Amino acid sequence: MMSGWYLEKISIEGFRGVNNEGAPLVLKFKSDAVNSIFAPNGVGKSSIYDALLYAITGKIPKLDLLPANEQGQGYYLNKFHSGNTGTIELSLCSVLNGNRAEIKVERASNGQRTVTAQNGVDGDAVLKEVDREFVLLDGETFREFINAQPKERGRSFASLLGLRKYSLIRQALTKFSNTVSFGNHFDLRVKTAKFSQYQTSARDASSGRARAYRELVGEDFDPALDEKVHVEKAYSALNGIELLKPACEGKGFEEVSTETCFELTKAAEGGEERTRYEALLRSCAALTEAIKKVPSSGSLTSLVELAIQRDAALSDTQGEVFRELYLSSQKILTDESWKDKTTCPTCERTGSESVLDHVSEKIASYSKVVELSGQVMKLGAESGFSQISDLEKLTAESVEENGSWSTNYREWISAGTINEVQAKAFAEYADEVKSRAAGKLKEQEEEKDVLEKGLPPKLTDVMQKIQAAKQLQESMSALRDAIQNAAKLEAELNRIQRVKQFLDGARDMFAGAEGAAATRRLNAIEPKMREFFGEVMHSEVVPALQRSGRAEDINISLEQFWNLPNVSARALLSESYRNAFAISVYLAAASLYGGDAKFVVLDDVTSSFDSGHQLHLMNVIKRLFARPAVPDGPQVILLSHDTALEKLFNTYNGEAGWYHQVIQGTARTSVLPQSSSVDKLRDATIDFLNSGNTFDGAPRVRQYLEFKLQHVIHKVNIPVPYDIVFSDDKKMAQNLITAIKNAVDIHQAANRLVLENSQVNGLDTALATIVGNFVSHWGTGQGQAFTAHSLLGVMRAIDAFADCFKYEDPAGSGSRKFYSSLSRR
């Protein structure tokens, strides 16, 4: 059963070019007819389109995309409306049961949008149902379809196929699964490097544990034994020294204070030599351990090679500074607070394409740099580059030198950003520090050996055992911390990897399903698209659409270009052919995959066609696309300022299935439809004049005069010269008056005039007031010089002029109607 909504009426006040303060512009539409609206440029036709666009989607892109200094948001509301509120009311009729949804959309001066509905209707839900790309189509939109890049064309076309949500999900999955973006989001480079660092720390701690255990216990560390066995043996070795029993009693091995043990040793035999020997013992142990952890010559060589490769990769990009700029921009653009992804966060310029996509592509170009940076970070974590500072502190000649020189190098390596010059300088410095440390260790060991010979052997052994116990305690603690931290980080990395695998799988699976669905629908659209195109252009040109496999791209081509097969559409087609191609695609998609919106609004879609092809396009819409000729087709509403189409619309207007309206006015005063607003305009004008407001009243007098003159011409079937259409705007009223007066004179001369003598005399009297007191002055730009009283006289003369073309029917009833022509009732 068919469901959806027709658009029956729209009311607009205070929005865009529609002021109409206190008297909204009301346009009614028929669901069983093609609806056409004609308006000269600058009257408000596009404002009707913008009002529908805002009511349904909540935005007007052409204003939102203006540069920040032009403040596009400030042009949603009419600049001349005193209420500072734009109001749009839509009346939608359900296709299913005929129920109506009366929805009011208001925009305040601060940009707040409010949606209300009557009779329990969920206005937001209904507007969401009819929010489809094909519903509101202007000429610029379908022209962009041809010029767009294949991927952008495919993404925009997904909406026409009814696959918009699926396309957005696919784009999101592609974005989330992008390796570089995914890694940046989870900070994978840092986490991976830190994991390697924990593993290196665990290996170093394990080696230190084995050495200290051997020195304390006197046997090799056996990894196969339970840790408790090693701890018990270590405790027994320390507690077995009679001098140290007070420090060990009642405690576990790791609870024993080695500082207390040293104090007990000092107390047993004091002296400066003992103190110096203890200090040398600690210093030599620290130097020996630190030297073992610093990077090897091979690691330093590898660092320099990686830095050279990274510099080469970076030279193919715009450099590290731009990468940081792109990363910062990506962070801002992905934040929910940054609503418009087409606005650059650095310069606030806007465009039609996503800045986020552009930034993501730029970041992706750094993938080789990112890969090499990760290798630098990993090498640094695994090779002990960060340990240089420990050795640097142990060999520093002053407090100020402790670790200060290598700080920047450690930061560059840990961030993976070190360059060739820095890497070579670091390698030279590392060799220097190692050499200096080796020399210092040699000096201290020689001094220690001399002192050791002068001290009692037993106490010397005890202090070595205490030092080994201290190193064993520290190694065991460091090993546990490293294993715990590595396990925790490994679990996190595994979770992240599972997320990546899921996203990759979901992306591929979804891309396949979305691609297949889009291809099926595209294949369904193509025959109808070709039918529409053939009916518009009537030439031996056959357009074609191709979906690029699983990719999002949609390519356009020509299956046949007269006798040439499979050629480029963009290279060969003229503007008319391109636009015919595009609008045929849109109409075909709308006819097959319309969704819940059963109406289509076409704004200025024919301006690039010559008059002959305009006629063909209207025939396609009328016969092959729209209701009522196509019973399940959409209700069509056409907006145009093309004078040739106005003639066609007027011709169609007498036929069943076509409903035509003409609007006139200005953004400063009001926009009103000719067919139904004469009385409203008259009342509004008289109200202005009665209050003495000639500034707003005088332009409306002119509108009212033109409305009444054209009304008379239409009702009495008075012929009008074609060139009136092209006359100067201020001379339009005079031309219409001349046409009417000439027709009356001709019929009177032929003795065929149906008007009574009193009516002919009344015409002259009314014309004298209208022309002498208003039209001639208005034509010279002096209309504002009138007083409100004189303009009220002109209004009465206009009504009297129109009444001269009416007669009483039936006689004596007081009811008057227009003559059917100047020669008969």
Side-chain angles (χ1 to χ4, degrees):
M1 183 178 295
M2 189 170 73
S3 61
W5 300 92
Y6 296 128
L7 179 62
E8 290 198 331
K9 184 176 68 175
I10 181 171
S11 171
I12 310 169
E13 180 184 346
F15 192 84
R16 296 289 288 138
V18 181
N19 182 357
N20 288 56
E21 188 160 351
L25 166 63
V26 178
L27 293 171
K28 296 181 179 180
F29 308 106
K30 294 182 179 180
S31 60
D32 59 348
V34 176
N35 299 266
S36 56
I37 299 174
F38 173 82
N41 275 324
V43 169
K45 171 184 60 64
S46 294
S47 295
I48 298 170
Y49 181 86
D50 290 344
L52 281 166
L53 182 63
Y54 179 75
I56 294 173
T57 69
K59 56 187 177 182
I60 303 177
K62 68 181 180 184
L63 295 182
D64 298 340
L65 294 176
L66 288 175
N69 64 327
E70 293 192 38
Q71 300 179 341
Q73 293 289 316
Y75 292 92
Y76 274 72
L77 304 186
N78 185 275
K79 292 293 187 179
F80 305 105
H81 194 281
S82 64
N84 291 322
T85 300
T87 304
I88 307 159
E89 296 182 31
L90 302 181
S91 179
L92 298 165
C93 177
S94 171
V95 176
L96 186 62
N97 52 29
N99 291 340
R100 284 171 176 76
E102 305 289 342
I103 302 172
K104 178 188 288 186
V105 179
E106 294 179 294
R107 180 182 173 91
S109 57
N110 62 2
Q112 182 178 356
R113 180 174 181 265
T114 306
V115 178
T116 56
Q118 301 177 5
N119 302 324
V121 173
D122 186 339
D124 287 308
V126 173
L127 293 176
K128 187 176 181 180
E129 288 179 24
V130 299
D131 183 7
R132 289 289 306 276
E133 259 69 3
F134 75 85
V135 171
L136 296 160
L137 177 63
D138 60 354
E140 186 63 28
T141 299
F142 75 78
R143 282 190 287 271
E144 288 177 355
F145 175 80
I146 297 293
N147 297 322
Q149 294 301 313
K151 178 175 287 188
E152 292 303 317
R153 185 186 299 119
R155 289 177 174 178
S156 64
F157 197 68
S159 300
L160 300 176
L161 298 175
L163 301 175
R164 177 185 183 186
K165 293 181 179 178
Y166 301 110
S167 177
L168 292 176
I169 293 173
R170 177 175 179 173
Q171 292 175 47
L173 288 173
T174 299
K175 173 186 172 184
F176 295 152
S177 62
N178 177 271
T179 300
V180 175
S181 298
F182 184 88
N184 289 338
H185 178 78
F186 286 101
D187 212 3
L188 277 180
R189 284 195 303 154
V190 174
K191 286 184 171 67
T192 302
K194 190 173 289 185
F195 178 70
S196 297
Q197 185 177 342
Y198 288 148
Q199 289 180 315
T200 301
S201 297
R203 288 194 299 269
D204 291 343
S206 180
S207 299
R209 180 184 64 176
R211 288 192 299 271
Y213 182 83
R214 186 185 308 109
E215 292 176 10
L216 176 60
V217 178
E219 62 182 49
D220 289 336
F221 184 90
D222 186 357
L225 295 177
D226 190 273
E227 186 183 68
K228 291 182 179 180
V229 176
H230 295 123
V231 171
E232 289 173 359
K233 288 187 176 184
Y235 179 78
S236 296
L238 196 62
N239 190 51
I241 301 172
E242 190 67 27
L243 182 63
L244 304 181
K245 283 186 180 292
C248 299
E249 187 175 349
K251 298 178 180 178
F253 172 70
E254 293 186 74
E255 296 175 325
V256 176
S257 169
T258 55
E259 294 300 321
T260 301
C261 292
F262 278 121
E263 293 297 327
L264 290 172
T265 305
K266 288 179 184 179
E269 184 176 348
E272 294 181 3
E273 291 183 350
R274 173 66 59 192
T275 301
R276 176 60 180 166
Y277 176 76
E278 179 186 343
L280 287 171
L281 192 65
R282 294 178 182 177
S283 178
C284 288
L287 279 170
T288 300
E289 194 67 25
I291 290 173
K292 291 177 181 177
K293 293 180 179 180
V294 297
S296 65
S297 298
S299 297
L300 291 169
T301 301
S302 297
L303 176 66
V304 173
E305 291 175 351
L306 284 174
I308 293 172
Q309 294 175 33
R310 186 181 181 276
D311 286 350
L314 194 61
S315 68
D316 294 332
T317 68
Q318 292 177 281
E320 192 66 45
V321 174
F322 272 89
R323 178 172 175 270
E324 294 300 324
L325 172 65
Y326 293 136
L327 288 173
S328 300
S329 298
Q330 184 185 55
K331 185 176 181 180
I332 296 171
L333 287 162
T334 53
D335 192 280
E336 292 184 0
S337 63
W338 195 266
K339 301 296 184 183
D340 187 0
K341 307 305 180 187
T342 63
T343 298
C344 176
T346 59
C347 64
E348 295 189 349
R349 292 186 179 181
T350 59
S352 58
E353 298 182 357
S354 170
V355 178
L356 179 58
D357 289 346
H358 174 73
V359 167
S360 299
E361 289 176 3
K362 286 291 186 181
I363 293 174
S365 69
Y366 287 83
S367 58
K368 185 62 177 178
V369 178
V370 172
E371 178 187 347
L372 290 167
S373 295
Q375 292 181 30
V376 170
M377 294 168 67
K378 184 177 181 182
L379 178 65
E382 294 177 346
S383 301
F385 290 138
S386 62
Q387 305 300 330
I388 285 290
S389 60
D390 294 339
L391 195 58
E392 194 178 18
K393 292 176 183 177
L394 293 172
T395 60
E397 297 179 359
S398 65
V399 176
E400 290 75 12
E401 294 180 13
N402 283 350
S404 61
W405 198 87
S406 63
T407 299
N408 287 336
Y409 291 92
R410 294 199 312 274
E411 291 177 355
W412 293 330
I413 294 171
S414 63
T417 60
I418 193 166
N419 60 34
E420 178 185 356
V421 174
Q422 295 164 348
K424 288 181 177 178
F426 178 75
E428 291 177 2
Y429 180 69
D431 287 337
E432 178 189 336
V433 172
K434 285 194 293 182
S435 177
R436 192 167 64 199
K440 186 171 184 178
L441 178 60
K442 182 180 179 182
E443 292 175 1
Q444 291 185 352
E445 284 181 337
E446 290 174 351
E447 183 182 357
K448 179 172 70 69
D449 290 342
V450 171
L451 290 173
E452 188 175 331
K453 292 176 182 178
L455 292 173
K458 186 176 180 180
L459 288 181
T460 302
D461 292 342
V462 170
M463 294 186 71
Q464 290 177 340
K465 294 289 186 182
I466 295 172
Q467 184 62 38
K470 180 180 180 181
Q471 291 179 354
L472 181 58
Q473 287 176 339
E474 291 175 350
S475 296
M476 290 174 64
S477 177
L479 180 59
R480 279 195 298 270
D481 289 344
I483 291 175
Q484 182 180 0
N485 290 332
K488 183 178 179 181
L489 190 53
E490 184 178 26
E492 182 180 358
L493 289 171
N494 288 337
R495 289 195 298 271
I496 293 172
Q497 185 59 33
R498 289 197 297 274
V499 172
K500 183 65 166 66
Q501 291 173 350
F502 168 78
L503 287 174
D504 288 345
R507 175 201 62 200
D508 294 341
M509 185 182 299
F510 204 91
E514 190 270 345
T519 300
R520 287 195 302 272
R521 294 197 172 190
L522 198 65
N523 291 338
I525 282 174
E526 194 169 49
K528 188 169 285 291
M529 177 269 292
R530 289 179 174 178
E531 178 187 7
F532 289 164
F533 180 85
E535 291 291 332
V536 173
M537 301 310 296
H538 292 281
S539 62
E540 296 179 31
V541 177
V542 181
L545 299 168
Q546 296 95 25
R547 177 90 175 196
S548 300
R550 292 165 59 91
E552 297 177 85
D553 300 7
I554 287 184
N555 296 306
I556 59 173
S557 65
L558 299 177
E559 185 176 293
Q560 181 180 337
F561 186 70
W562 280 275
N563 62 337
L564 299 177
N566 302 321
V567 292
S568 170
R570 295 178 64 182
L572 291 176
L573 292 184
S574 65
E575 185 178 17
S576 290
Y577 277 87
R578 287 184 175 207
N579 294 335
F581 190 164
I583 198 167
S584 297
V585 170
Y586 273 68
L587 294 181
S591 65
L592 293 176
Y593 304 109
D596 287 323
K598 296 301 180 184
F599 63 92
V600 176
V601 181
L602 305 176
D603 179 30
D604 195 23
V605 297
T606 62
S607 59
S608 61
F609 292 96
D610 56 56
S611 58
H613 289 118
Q614 286 179 349
L615 174 61
H616 294 325
L617 176 58
M618 291 301 105
N619 282 333
V620 166
I621 292 173
K622 184 173 182 286
R623 295 186 299 102
L624 303 177
F625 177 71
R627 288 170 50 84
V630 181
D632 59 347
Q635 170 197 19
V636 171
I637 300 170
L638 294 159
L639 302 170
S640 176
H641 67 268
D642 194 296
T643 54
L645 277 184
E646 182 192 17
K647 301 297 182 181
L648 181 64
F649 293 162
N650 286 330
T651 301
Y652 280 157
N653 196 36
E655 301 180 9
W658 196 283
Y659 179 58
H660 180 54
Q661 301 176 79
V662 177
I663 59 173
Q664 291 190 358
T666 67
R668 173 68 181 83
T669 54
S670 63
V671 177
L672 295 168
Q674 264 189 338
S675 58
S676 60
S677 63
V678 176
D679 291 337
K680 289 184 180 180
L681 179 59
R682 181 181 185 276
D683 293 341
T685 305
I686 289 176
D687 287 342
F688 279 124
L689 296 178
N690 282 333
S691 65
N693 184 356
T694 59
F695 187 80
D696 288 312
R700 293 172 185 251
V701 171
R702 172 175 167 257
Q703 281 184 259
Y704 184 64
L705 172 59
E706 291 183 359
F707 283 167
K708 293 295 281 186
L709 292 174
Q710 293 183 66
H711 193 54
V712 168
I713 289 171
H714 176 71
K715 287 294 186 180
V716 189
N717 290 308
I718 295 175
V720 178
Y722 184 74
D723 60 358
I724 283 182
V725 177
F726 303 102
S727 296
D728 177 72
D729 192 39
K730 289 186 177 181
K731 297 295 186 181
M732 177 64 75
Q734 181 61 65
N735 287 336
L736 296 175
I737 290 171
T738 301
I740 295 172
K741 189 67 171 67
N742 289 342
V744 170
D745 291 343
I746 290 172
H747 280 74
Q748 191 173 31
N751 200 27
R752 297 180 57 192
L753 186 64
V754 70
L755 271 62
E756 298 174 2
N757 289 333
S758 59
Q759 291 176 317
V760 174
N761 294 332
L763 283 178
D764 294 336
T765 302
L767 285 175
T769 300
I770 295 170
V771 176
N773 293 338
F774 183 73
V775 174
S776 59
H777 296 286
W778 184 269
T780 58
Q782 300 176 10
Q784 297 299 330
F786 289 111
T787 64
H789 179 74
S790 64
L791 291 177
L792 284 170
V794 173
M795 290 293 290
R796 287 191 292 270
I798 294 171
D799 289 336
F801 179 82
D803 283 342
C804 291
F805 295 92
K806 298 179 180 179
Y807 65 98
E808 195 174 36
D809 183 38
S813 66
S815 176
R816 299 179 65 81
K817 61 186 297 187
F818 278 101
Y819 295 109
S820 61
S821 73
L822 291 177
S823 59
R824 58 188 177 86
R825 291 193 173 188

